Amino acid sequence: MARLLYRLGKLAARHRIVMVLAWVVLVVIAVGSVRVLGAKTNNELTLPGTDSQAAFDLLADRFPPQQNGSSPFLFATDEGRLTDEAAKDSIEETYRRMRRAEHVASVVNPLSKDGKAAGLLSDDETIAFMPVLLDIDSGFITEDLAMKVLAATDPARKAGLQVAVGGPIGSELSQPETGTSELIGNLAAMVILALVFGSLIAMGLPIITAAIGLAIATSVIGLLGHVISVPTVAPTLATMIGLGVGIDYALFLVTKHKEQLASGIEIRESVARAVSSSGSAIVFAGCTVVIALVSLAVAGIPLVSTLGFASAIAVLTAVITSITLMPAILSLVGNGVNRLRVPGFLQMRKRPAGHTRWDAWARGVARHPWLAVVASIAILAPLIVPLFSLQLGQEDIGVTPTSTTQRQAYDLMKRGFGVGYNGPLLVAMTLDPPAHPSAGYTRKYDEATALQAELEKEQRRLKREQAALERQQADLEAEQARLERQGAALERRKAALERQAADLEARQARLAAEEASLRAQASKLTEQARPIVSHLAFILGRERFVRRQIEQTTDPDRLERLRRRLARLERKEARTRARLAPIVERARVLLGRAESLAAQARTLQAQADALQARAAELERQGEALQAQAVELERQGAALKRQAADLQAEADEANAQKERALQLQAELTDILTKAGGDDRGTDHRIVRVQDALTATDGVVGLFPLQINHAGDAATLSAIPKDAPSAPATADLVRSLRSDVLPPATEEGGIVANVGGSTASNVDLAAKIGQRLPIVIATVVVLSFLLLMVAFHSLMVPLQAAVTNLLSVDAALGVLTAVFQWGWGLSLIGLDAPRGTVPIASFVPLMMFAVLFGLSMDYEVFLMSRIEQQHAGGKPPREAVPSGLGASARVITAAASIMFFVFASFVINGDPTVKQF
């Protein structure tokens, strides 16, 4: 291989411009392709052969697109309630906009009847969540699409509501930035490289090649996501590894090249020899890392395999850039590699070969090997101890930065509904034969239907009779009103007649009084006239006597006297008549007036008689009206009796109605439990529901869903604890082993527990099962590679042992920090429970990465020792000599790796912090 690499180095040095341009074109193509097609990542966890995978496959096959997972949009208010008019209107407008949003397959309004029935509104009505399901796989959710969907919540935001989103959309909107970490890692590497090389030009070369290799690697990984599912954390992990190894590999090559230039070797020859010697170590080291990472495929877990492949791509590009691009750049730079020297006080003091501090250290280790072994073990052993309590857990959004929308959604869901709502357990069921309504439900449904039909018939009859009674009652009331009006009119007329009669009587009395007065006056006049009449009669008698005497008297004198006497009598008569005439006239007038008054009285009497007759007629009419009123009262009493009978029948009907309502309520409860589908009353499904409800740790169930064919159903169980809590993992295992088997023992139904929480439990279990195989595979393959490289059994054996110890120590530190909670606040984690679950795939990935990277230093160290031995030194001298010569560079490379990885601790993702 050395000869082949020598030729490759020569080729790159000779055609340096072409080689650099080729890499530039390659970078442009890779980065441009990602810009056009987009970098796609997907947190979809595929676990063939597991219970959670069976549940996922069932969703994908019979409930698409539910396998994509819904994204809950949380709405909260600190003032009033979400059911208040303004807040309600804003949420309903958000719902309408969400329905029209791009790629939204379904959405439920939390304030609707269905939403409240599904428990999407908190008890105090201050928090609600709107589940949004997209019709595309979560891997196709871009930040632009997520922002468009989020824009549908603008009405709620403008109304002053707090809005947050979880699920796939929230995850896409909460991706941590890696730019700062990369900048810090590069700055640290630049400082270390500047101190090692003493030249800014030499310092910049490894950064350039590592950056180019990393750009290509991340672009390839982004494009790879269009073919396979690439986890979201994969680009970050690849960046960490690719940046570290890229700088390290370039460091080794540049260091060798500078040493050779210092010894007087021509530039191109030096480049070729550096590629031949250090390049061989780089290739073997890179192959060791790649083998370790690719060996993760042995686990049979696509997530882990993809993480391994993605990281291996970053390592592979780092190796290729180191042995192709770096030689071309070194050839272009030439002797300028030593230009732009750093200030003298920053340069390391040069010592003669064999007399450096590292040489002294190497000789001390060589003289006291067992002391070195014991000291190393004494340091490593305490760090390894926590490893024995390591528990594989799952990711916990509850400790991600509170500035992210997915964390805000997590906290709001926890506050409004309970922490378990952040990770419901999906129970997917297949039914053969298909689900059908239960006999009990059918019986109640038939009874309710028949009772409802009978009630409707009876109610129609009662309504008709009631209407007839109401019409009769209305007629009676109208007739009674008419009679009352007539009676009132009669009373008025009677009163008027009585007033007229009284008036007539008064007038008649006045006339009678006047008549009596006139007659009394006439009587008085008569009394007054009686003496005058008597006197007149006397005078008339005397006149008749005188006239007879005159007729008989012939005596003139006497006749004269008689005539004078007659004349006196006539005068007296005249005077008497004159006195009597006014009296007679007055009496006549009075009598005339009395007669007139008598006539008027007779007229009034006739009128009074007429009024009396009319009054009698009115009395008869009143008696007739009274008789009619009595008849109406009798008819009203009959109607009341009929109404009472109808009321009794109505009461009986109401009793039947109560029974119908009770049946309806029972059917509603059953249907609600069955998700609104009567097939959900199938006793097989009900047994599963009852078993889940009775399980400790389950606080509720989401509504049941049954597919059209009826051969599949799903429901979600809400755990009491957080998705990452050990109790939730125990609940998953309990459901699978203790709860569901008895509930499905009758046959015809198979239940699988899925969902993200269950998938993580399965992932942890599968990793626990496959971890020994992966470790053995990595160790064996690395052992074989080192055995081929160094033609030795002892070298790979001690490498495997020491590297296993260092990996175990790293895992022990990981356990102490995250699982025991030592120093969590120092790395920017505020864990409510004081600990953070270790993602199950992290230790497995860590083992492969750490074992591979530590093998890098093993290869570089042993390559330098082998060179010393090939130069003629015996083994006991070659070992300290090789260690002394390579220790500075290896320590610098390890320091670069340390700072690159440490810079990613500021990343908000707790899983990235663990890596």
Side-chain angles (χ1 to χ4, degrees):
M1 178 179 289
R3 189 174 300 172
L4 180 62
L5 290 175
Y6 178 84
R7 292 176 182 173
L8 180 60
K10 273 284 190 183
L11 181 65
R14 185 180 299 114
H15 303 286
R16 52 192 180 275
I17 295 178
V18 175
M19 183 65 73
V20 171
L21 289 177
W23 275 101
V24 171
V25 171
L26 190 59
V27 169
V28 171
I29 292 174
V31 174
S33 299
V34 171
R35 290 291 180 88
V36 174
L37 299 177
K40 181 184 173 186
T41 58
N42 187 349
N43 284 329
E44 180 181 295
L45 183 58
T46 304
L47 297 169
T50 62
D51 209 43
S52 58
Q53 187 62 43
F56 178 87
D57 293 341
L58 179 67
L59 286 180
D61 182 40
R62 305 184 192 182
F63 293 92
Q66 291 191 32
Q67 76 279 4
N68 298 330
S70 66
S71 298
F73 281 75
L74 275 294
F75 304 90
T77 180
D78 295 327
E79 298 180 359
R81 298 184 177 185
L82 294 179
T83 51
D84 294 343
E85 184 176 0
K88 181 179 180 181
D89 291 345
S90 68
I91 292 178
E92 290 180 344
E93 176 61 23
T94 295
Y95 167 71
R96 288 189 288 269
R97 292 192 180 191
M98 194 68 73
R99 290 183 61 186
R100 299 191 299 267
E102 185 178 0
H103 289 298
V104 171
S106 68
V107 58
V108 180
N109 182 356
L111 302 184
S112 66
K113 180 180 179 181
D114 292 339
K116 291 179 180 178
L120 305 184
L121 179 66
S122 65
D123 293 337
D124 60 3
E125 298 184 346
T126 60
I127 299 177
F129 70 96
M130 181 183 294
V132 175
L133 183 66
L134 301 184
D135 59 8
I136 58 173
D137 182 79
S138 58
F140 289 96
I141 301 177
T142 62
E143 184 177 0
D144 181 60
L145 174 60
M147 289 300 296
K148 288 181 180 178
V149 178
L150 183 63
T153 64
D154 286 346
R157 294 178 187 274
K158 292 178 180 178
L161 302 183
Q162 181 183 353
V163 179
V165 56
I169 295 177
S171 176
E172 181 63 31
L173 293 173
S174 304
Q175 292 298 321
E177 292 293 334
T178 61
T180 303
S181 297
E182 294 176 22
L183 177 61
I184 293 174
N186 279 320
L187 289 175
M190 290 167 66
V191 172
I192 294 171
L193 291 173
L195 294 175
V196 171
F197 293 136
S199 165
L200 297 181
I201 296 296
M203 173 271 291
L205 299 183
I207 302 296
I208 293 173
T209 56
I212 291 175
L214 185 60
I216 294 175
T218 53
S219 298
V220 172
I221 293 170
L223 296 174
L224 187 65
H226 292 273
V227 181
I228 61 175
S229 295
V230 175
T232 304
V233 75
T236 304
L237 182 59
T239 299
M240 285 191 285
I241 297 173
L243 189 61
V245 298
I247 295 174
D248 278 6
Y249 293 164
L251 167 64
F252 290 123
L253 193 66
V254 174
T255 300
K256 186 65 176 179
H257 175 63
K258 283 173 60 65
E259 290 175 356
Q260 293 174 160
L261 287 180
S263 65
I265 300 176
E266 188 266 335
I267 294 175
R268 293 185 182 178
E269 180 63 24
S270 175
V271 169
R273 290 186 183 184
V275 175
S276 175
S277 55
S278 293
S280 296
I282 290 171
V283 171
F284 272 106
C287 288
T288 305
V289 180
V290 170
I291 288 174
L293 293 171
V294 173
S295 296
L296 292 172
V298 176
I301 304 171
L303 169 71
V304 175
S305 301
T306 305
L307 285 174
F309 291 150
S311 301
I313 290 172
V315 175
L316 187 61
T317 54
V319 171
I320 296 174
T321 54
S322 296
I323 62 175
T324 58
L325 179 59
M326 179 57 80
I329 294 177
L330 289 174
S331 180
L332 279 173
V333 173
N335 290 319
V337 73
N338 293 316
R339 292 176 184 168
L340 297 179
R341 306 290 294 179
V342 299
F345 70 92
L346 293 177
Q347 295 184 18
M348 295 184 179
R349 182 180 302 176
K350 293 184 178 179
R351 298 177 182 270
H355 295 82
T356 65
R357 290 191 180 92
W358 291 113
D359 290 317
W361 171 270
R363 288 192 295 270
V365 172
R367 284 196 302 269
H368 307 286
W370 289 109
L371 178 60
V373 170
V374 172
S376 299
I377 293 176
I379 295 172
L380 292 174
L383 301 179
I384 294 174
V385 170
L387 174 62
F388 295 103
S389 63
L390 172 66
Q391 293 180 349
L392 301 181
Q394 47 195 316
E395 296 179 271
D396 190 351
I397 296 176
V399 296
T400 55
T402 55
S403 60
T404 61
T405 187
Q406 65 174 352
R407 171 62 187 276
Q408 293 165 6
Y410 180 96
D411 291 339
L412 287 176
M413 187 75 79
K414 177 180 177 181
R415 192 178 83 192
F417 304 92
V419 68
Y421 274 73
N422 285 297
L425 305 178
L426 173 71
V427 179
M429 296 167 280
T430 57
L431 299 109
D432 185 17
H436 57 275
S438 66
Y441 170 81
T442 303
R443 184 174 61 256
K444 286 187 177 182
Y445 179 79
D446 292 342
E447 181 183 355
T449 303
L451 189 57
Q452 183 68 27
E454 183 179 349
L455 278 174
E456 290 176 355
K457 181 179 178 181
E458 183 67 13
Q459 286 176 349
R460 286 194 296 269
R461 183 185 68 81
L462 289 176
K463 284 181 179 179
R464 289 195 301 271
E465 294 186 6
Q466 180 69 24
L469 285 177
E470 289 176 352
R471 287 194 299 273
Q472 292 180 27
Q473 181 69 24
D475 292 342
L476 286 177
E477 291 175 354
E479 182 65 18
Q480 185 176 4
R482 185 183 66 79
L483 291 177
E484 289 176 353
R485 288 193 301 273
Q486 288 183 355
L490 287 175
E491 288 294 330
R492 288 193 299 273
R493 291 171 62 188
K494 184 177 180 182
L497 289 176
E498 289 176 349
R499 286 193 301 272
Q500 291 179 13
D503 184 50
L504 287 175
E505 289 176 356
R507 288 173 62 189
Q508 190 175 10
R510 287 194 303 272
L511 289 175
E514 289 180 5
E515 182 185 3
S517 176
L518 289 174
R519 290 191 182 277
Q521 292 179 24
S523 176
K524 286 181 180 179
L525 288 176
T526 302
E527 290 296 328
Q528 292 177 7
R530 185 175 287 115
I532 296 173
V533 171
S534 297
H535 182 65
L536 180 61
F538 173 75
I539 291 173
L540 289 176
R542 291 295 298 271
E543 285 180 352
R544 286 190 303 271
F545 175 74
V546 171
R547 283 187 179 99
R548 283 190 305 270
Q549 284 182 353
I550 290 173
E551 290 176 355
Q552 294 175 359
T553 301
T554 60
D555 181 8
D557 290 332
R558 189 179 181 188
L559 182 63
E560 184 62 30
R561 284 192 304 272
L562 286 171
R563 287 179 178 175
R564 284 193 298 273
R565 188 177 178 186
L566 179 62
R568 286 193 300 272
L569 287 172
E570 287 179 348
R571 287 192 297 272
K572 285 183 178 180
E573 178 186 2
R575 287 194 299 270
T576 300
R577 288 187 180 276
R579 288 176 58 195
L580 183 62
I583 293 173
V584 171
E585 181 63 25
R586 175 82 173 167
R588 185 186 63 79
V589 171
L590 288 175
L591 290 175
R593 288 180 62 188
E595 288 297 329
S596 175
L597 289 176
Q600 289 182 20
R602 288 192 297 274
T603 301
L604 289 177
Q605 185 63 43
Q607 291 179 359
D609 292 341
L611 287 176
Q612 187 64 31
R614 291 175 63 188
E617 178 63 24
L618 289 177
E619 186 68 26
R620 287 192 298 273
Q621 292 180 9
E623 291 174 355
L625 289 177
Q626 186 65 31
Q628 292 181 22
V630 171
E631 177 61 21
L632 287 178
E633 288 181 0
R634 185 189 65 77
Q635 294 179 11
L639 287 178
K640 287 182 178 179
R641 288 193 298 274
Q642 294 181 27
D645 293 340
L646 280 179
Q647 185 61 43
E649 294 179 6
D651 292 340
E652 184 179 352
N654 285 334
Q656 292 181 331
K657 184 178 180 180
E658 289 296 327
R659 172 57 181 163
L661 290 175
Q662 180 182 358
L663 283 174
Q664 185 178 3
E666 292 176 1
L667 290 173
T668 300
D669 292 340
I670 293 173
L671 276 180
T672 300
K673 183 178 179 181
D677 191 332
D678 59 1
R679 295 174 299 173
T681 63
D682 189 299
H683 70 281
R684 296 169 295 176
I685 297 176
V686 173
R687 280 174 58 88
V688 172
Q689 289 177 306
D690 292 342
L692 291 172
T693 303
T695 302
D696 290 337
V698 175
V699 297
L701 302 178
F702 272 138
L704 177 75
Q705 292 186 356
I706 303 177
N707 68 338
H708 180 72
D711 57 0
T714 65
L715 56 83
S716 295
I718 310 301
K720 180 179 68 175
D721 300 293
S724 60
T728 305
D730 293 338
L731 175 62
V732 172
R733 289 187 282 268
S734 174
L735 292 180
R736 290 171 172 172
S737 60
D738 302 328
V739 177
L740 292 178
T744 58
E745 63 185 359
E746 288 187 7
I749 182 172
V750 177
N752 303 105
V753 180
S756 59
T757 302
S759 296
N760 287 325
V761 171
D762 289 339
L763 177 63
K766 197 157 187 176
I767 286 177
Q769 295 171 358
R770 307 294 293 183
L771 185 58
I773 299 175
V774 174
I775 292 175
T777 301
V778 171
V779 172
V780 169
L781 291 178
S782 300
F783 184 93
L784 293 176
L785 182 64
L786 289 181
M787 186 176 67
V788 171
F790 298 104
H791 308 290
S792 166
L793 292 177
M794 184 57 67
V795 169
L797 179 60
Q798 64 82 25
V801 172
T802 55
N803 288 333
L804 282 173
L805 288 174
S806 64
V807 170
D808 289 345
L811 291 172
V813 172
L814 177 75
T815 304
V817 173
F818 289 90
Q819 191 171 303
W820 292 4
W822 291 4
L824 277 178
S825 59
L826 299 179
I827 60 172
L829 283 179
D830 181 17
R833 297 190 301 272
T835 61
V836 176
I838 298 174
S840 56
F841 59 89
V842 169
L844 184 60
M845 285 296 303
M846 275 183 61
F847 171 78
V849 172
L850 289 176
F851 194 86
L853 293 179
S854 59
M855 278 294 186
D856 280 359
Y857 306 131
E858 181 76 25
V859 169
F860 289 123
L861 173 62
M862 292 310 300
S863 297
R864 186 56 68 95
I865 292 174
E866 187 182 43
Q867 291 173 10
Q868 296 293 328
H869 181 60
K873 293 182 179 181
R876 292 189 179 276
E877 293 181 12
V879 171
S881 178
L883 175 58
S886 60
R888 182 173 68 92
V889 177
I890 289 176
T891 303
S895 300
I896 291 172
M897 189 72 73
F898 169 80
F899 282 109
V900 168
F901 272 73
S903 67
F904 281 82
V905 173
I906 66 175
N907 190 292
D909 190 339
T911 304
V912 174
K913 291 181 183 290
Q914 291 172 7
F915 276 122

